[in-house]
Each structure stands twice: as C-alpha cells, then as structure tokens.
Amino acid sequence: MHYNSTGSSLWSEAGNRKALKAQETGIGMVAMAPSSDEGICKSMVETHGYECEEHTVTTEDGYILSVQRIPMGRSGGTRGTGTRPPVLLQHGLLMDAITWLLLPPEQSLALVLSDNGYDVWLANSRGTKYSKGHTSLSPNDPGYWDWSWDELVAYDLPATIQYVYDQTGQKLHYVGHSQGTLMALAAFSKDEVLNMLRSAALLCPIAYMGQLTSPLAKNAADAFIAETVYWLGLDEFDPRGETVVKLLKEICSKPGVDCTNLLTSFTGQNCCLNSSIVNMFLDHEPQPSATKNMVHLAQMIRQGTITMYDYVDVVENMKHYGQPTPPAYNMTGIPNDFPLFVSYGGADALADVNDVKLLLGSLKDHDGDKFVVQYRDDYAHADYVMAENAKQDVYDPLIAFFRLQ
C-alpha cells in the first residue's frame, strides 16, 4: 500500500504499519486520495450526502483560492443565505480544508456544524493542492512561493472573510486550527477583519512558539533546516519532496528524536486517533507550504517572539518595514470585547502549554463573558481535528459558545 511516489515513504511507513495492523484486525480500509480533477466537494462532502459548492476567491496579490461551501445539513432544512449563521473554517500548516472532513460525517467539525444549522465555508490557503492558481504566476515560478504567514494575514484571510460576508450578507463565526489561529490572532491584534466577524474559536492557538517541545520541529529550527532548503533555491517546501525528506531523515537519526511515528514527532502524543484516520490523513496530507513561511516559523521558535518575517539584513528590513527589525504583532491589541473560544491540549508539542499561557497572559483583561478557555489534558495537536471523541469533548462546547454570540 503506498500513498505518493517520490519521497513519501517516510510519511507512509508509519501509515503502512498501521494499515497492516488494521487489516489484521479488520479495522477500516484506506480510502484512496481523490484524483486531482475532483475537488473537495465531490471527493469528501457529497459522498456523505451533503450538498456542496465549489467557490474561488482571488486575493489582492493575485492568488486564486479554493473555498467550499456546505449550505445545509443532511437533514435538509432552510438553505444557507440569511437564515443560517455562516462559519468559516481555516486549516493549519501543511494541511488543507480536508482537515475538517477526516472524521466520519457525524464527528467531523464541518459536517457537525452543518447539521447544527450553520452555513459552513472551508478555506484553503495558497500553495495547497486546490489553491495553486494565480492571476499571473505558476507554482513553478519562484515568485509564486515568495510569502510567509504575514501574507496569509494580509491577503488570504481578509479576502476569504470578505467573500463569505458578501455572499451571505451577514457576519460570520471563525474557527482556526494551528496556523489558522496564528493568522486570526495576528489580524485581530491589528483590529482587522473583526467588523465582519461574530466570534472566533481557536483550536491549538499559536502565537508564541519559543517553548514548543516537538523534538522534530525544535531540531529543525535549531539546525536552520528551512533556511538550508531556502538557500538550496527550493522556494516550495514540499514535506513529501526528496530534499525535505532527506533533511527530515537526518534529524530523525539524531539521538532523542524518534520518527517511528512521524505525525507524533511533530504533534505530540495524540490520545484519541484510530488507525484508519491516520491512513486517511496520509492519503491527503501533508500539503506544501512556502519555504519562506517555514523560515518565518523557525524564527519564532528560536526567538520566542511574534513578529513579521525577519530578512536578517538591516537594509532588507528597512526596505520592507521602514525599520531595522521586523514589526511585532502585539497580542494585547486584540479588542477585549471580541468573543473568543480557546481550546488547548496538555500533550500538544506544537502549541505548547507554556506558550499558550503566554498568549492567555496577553488576554488577561479580556471580558470574562466573552472569553471561554478550555483545556484538555490528554489532547495533542492532531486530536483537535482527528480525535474520535473530539465532537463531544470540543465541538459540542464550541457550538454552544457560538449559539451564545
């Protein structure tokens, strides 16, 4: 059984072992990845009996993003616009909108929200499989990959939110996971997009990364792996590509880094994933990102700060920012009366508890009745989108929070 040709063996080895075990025990078989001409609607939503629409959004800097809309639940009811509150789901790093559809329909957040009366919209960040379009560049052009999450904050997020707002004629709820929370927090700190939102739910919130415990991510940042890939002239960071896999294997051979389960070495020990979902995950993810984005995240890990991309060269920084060092995103700038739901896990190696506490410290003056913080001791980074008990443990409280806003 095998998932992708070049360089995927590192990712699929862990999956293969699980798949064989699953076959022995009769647990679910591996679903094959959709052929590239099939969008997310056809391959992941309509198959479960939900209506789904494919939309595209063009950002101010020319990226053409794929957005899916699930206008109503399986049980029917009133259609999208006007009657159902819209909610936008934004995936994390090296993922795409399939994040929200990996679990069975009665457990995956996108479909649970739909069945609960929401008009559900799924975002796909630039560079991922279904968002590779651009008005003038091709993914083979280095310029196509010249961005970090600063651009996701400045362009992708506002374009997508504006589009949903315009289409539905009402303010929306937002759900972010991982990098999807970083994008939102950075935008909120500058008081952007808030006028189009009712509330936000942040799962595994990432603002600070200086204390992350993932041995793989920590070693990669300390060894300047992303910078190495960048200097080699690879503008696209493809986790399944030969170069990245080679560098990952080098880190994996270091003492104290165990990559028998590559997912765990990134995310921390997830409590509640079954083996068939790991195979499902490996069929669709990980997705590419810009190498420049990985460099930006590595800077945050090494420095423990949340600033814009550092060109490390005073002249370059002056050119881009008009100052010798990159401007900081100030988390205390998030308006205290904006409704926030935050959920984080004790076993998360990427959104580490101590880093989340730094963020919560910046939010200490937030209005008590507009702020819900949930802590799950046994949850790690992937549990929030893949755990078999995530519906009752996280999604039900999240929906209850939305209903109050």
Side-chain angles (χ1 to χ4, degrees):
M1 213 170 301
H2 124 134
Y3 302 97
N4 239 10
S5 46
T6 328
S8 69
S9 57
L10 190 66
W11 287 101
S12 51
E13 273 159 20
N16 281 337
R17 280 195 298 279
K18 289 207 159 150
L20 292 169
K21 195 164 183 334
Q23 280 170 17
E24 286 157 20
T25 54
I27 304 168
M29 280 302 295
V30 178
M32 281 323 289
S35 63
S36 55
D37 53 349
E38 275 201 343
I40 289 176
C41 275
K42 256 197 175 41
S43 60
M44 301 295 289
V45 181
E46 289 167 7
T47 46
H48 296 304
Y50 290 80
E51 216 178 290
C52 187
E53 305 163 4
E54 292 282 355
H55 292 251
T56 54
V57 173
T58 304
T59 66
E60 222 173 277
D61 58 347
Y63 289 81
I64 300 165
L65 311 177
S66 150
V67 174
Q68 288 73 40
R69 179 194 202 179
I70 308 165
M72 55 202 256
R74 248 196 304 208
S75 51
T78 49
R79 280 191 63 80
T81 312
T83 48
R84 300 166 77 90
V87 56
L88 175 67
L89 275 54
Q90 174 63 59
H91 63 81
L93 180 68
L94 306 181
M95 303 284 283
D96 63 5
I98 288 175
T99 300
W100 309 107
L101 297 160
L102 290 166
L103 285 160
E106 54 291 341
Q107 294 172 21
S108 67
L109 183 57
L111 302 178
V112 168
L113 281 164
S114 177
D115 285 333
N116 272 276
Y118 291 87
D119 182 4
V120 178
W121 296 76
L122 309 175
N124 294 273
S125 298
R126 58 181 66 190
T128 56
K129 181 175 180 179
Y130 301 104
S131 291
K132 282 207 150 63
H134 191 279
T135 50
S136 63
L137 297 168
S138 122
N140 301 325
D141 298 321
Y144 177 90
W145 298 101
D146 185 15
W147 53 268
S148 80
W149 59 262
D150 287 333
E151 280 68 34
L152 303 183
V153 173
Y155 301 111
D156 288 28
L157 188 69
T160 313
I161 289 175
Q162 183 76 53
Y163 182 82
V164 175
Y165 181 72
D166 292 344
Q167 290 285 311
T168 59
Q170 45 175 332
K171 290 187 176 190
L172 43 149
H173 296 288
Y174 178 89
V175 183
H177 174 240
S178 185
Q179 182 177 264
T181 69
L182 174 61
M183 289 161 65
L185 287 163
F188 299 169
S189 73
K190 304 200 298 190
D191 207 356
E192 282 162 12
V193 302
L194 291 167
N195 58 330
M196 292 181 278
L197 296 179
R198 299 178 194 218
S199 75
L202 309 176
L203 311 179
C204 315
I206 292 211
Y208 300 99
M209 294 180 78
Q211 299 173 80
L212 106 178
T213 52
S214 157
L216 203 49
K218 188 103 188 80
N219 272 286
D222 290 343
F224 287 78
I225 289 290
E227 284 82 352
T228 305
V229 174
Y230 209 23
W231 294 327
L232 288 171
L234 290 173
D235 303 287
E236 173 183 358
F237 187 91
D238 179 1
R240 291 173 183 258
E242 226 173 309
T243 313
V244 175
V245 166
K246 207 171 130 221
L247 290 164
L248 281 176
K249 281 185 169 161
E250 275 173 35
I251 296 179
C252 291
S253 63
K254 288 188 174 180
V257 186
D258 176 15
C259 296
T260 43
N261 184 338
L262 202 56
L263 187 62
T264 304
S265 19
F266 272 116
T267 61
Q269 187 60 58
N270 297 289
C271 67
C272 310
L273 312 187
N274 72 30
S275 58
S276 60
I277 198 156
V278 176
N279 291 322
M280 181 85 154
F281 168 83
L282 289 168
D283 274 342
H284 301 284
E285 323 289 344
Q287 292 277 331
S289 185
T291 305
K292 184 177 181 179
N293 187 40
M294 306 305 282
V295 172
H296 192 176
L297 294 164
Q299 291 173 351
M300 294 168 70
I301 295 169
R302 290 192 301 266
Q303 291 155 18
T305 52
I306 175 168
T307 73
M308 295 184 80
Y309 181 85
D310 188 354
Y311 288 90
V312 193
D313 169 7
V314 172
V315 178
E316 278 296 301
N317 280 335
M318 286 301 291
K319 194 168 91 187
H320 285 89
Y321 309 123
Q323 56 185 69
T325 54
Y329 291 96
N330 180 7
M331 291 298 113
T332 56
I334 298 171
N336 291 332
D337 58 353
F338 180 70
L340 282 179
F341 173 96
V342 170
S343 186
Y344 67 110
D348 196 328
L350 291 170
D352 181 77
V353 170
N354 292 313
D355 281 330
V356 174
K357 284 185 174 157
L358 270 181
L359 169 66
L360 295 176
S362 311
L363 301 173
K364 65 180 189 306
D365 297 329
H366 215 83
D367 296 1
D369 55 347
K370 301 275 188 201
F371 196 28
V372 172
V373 179
Q374 182 194 45
Y375 172 69
R376 282 289 327 226
D377 190 48
D378 56 345
Y379 264 36
H381 210 69
D383 283 311
Y384 279 92
V385 288
M386 286 157 65
E388 43 198 348
N389 55 2
K391 183 194 176 284
Q392 60 269 30
D393 290 355
V394 181
Y395 305 161
D396 288 348
L398 180 157
I399 291 169
F401 169 80
F402 279 173
R403 291 220 163 102
L404 295 172
Q405 307 315 321

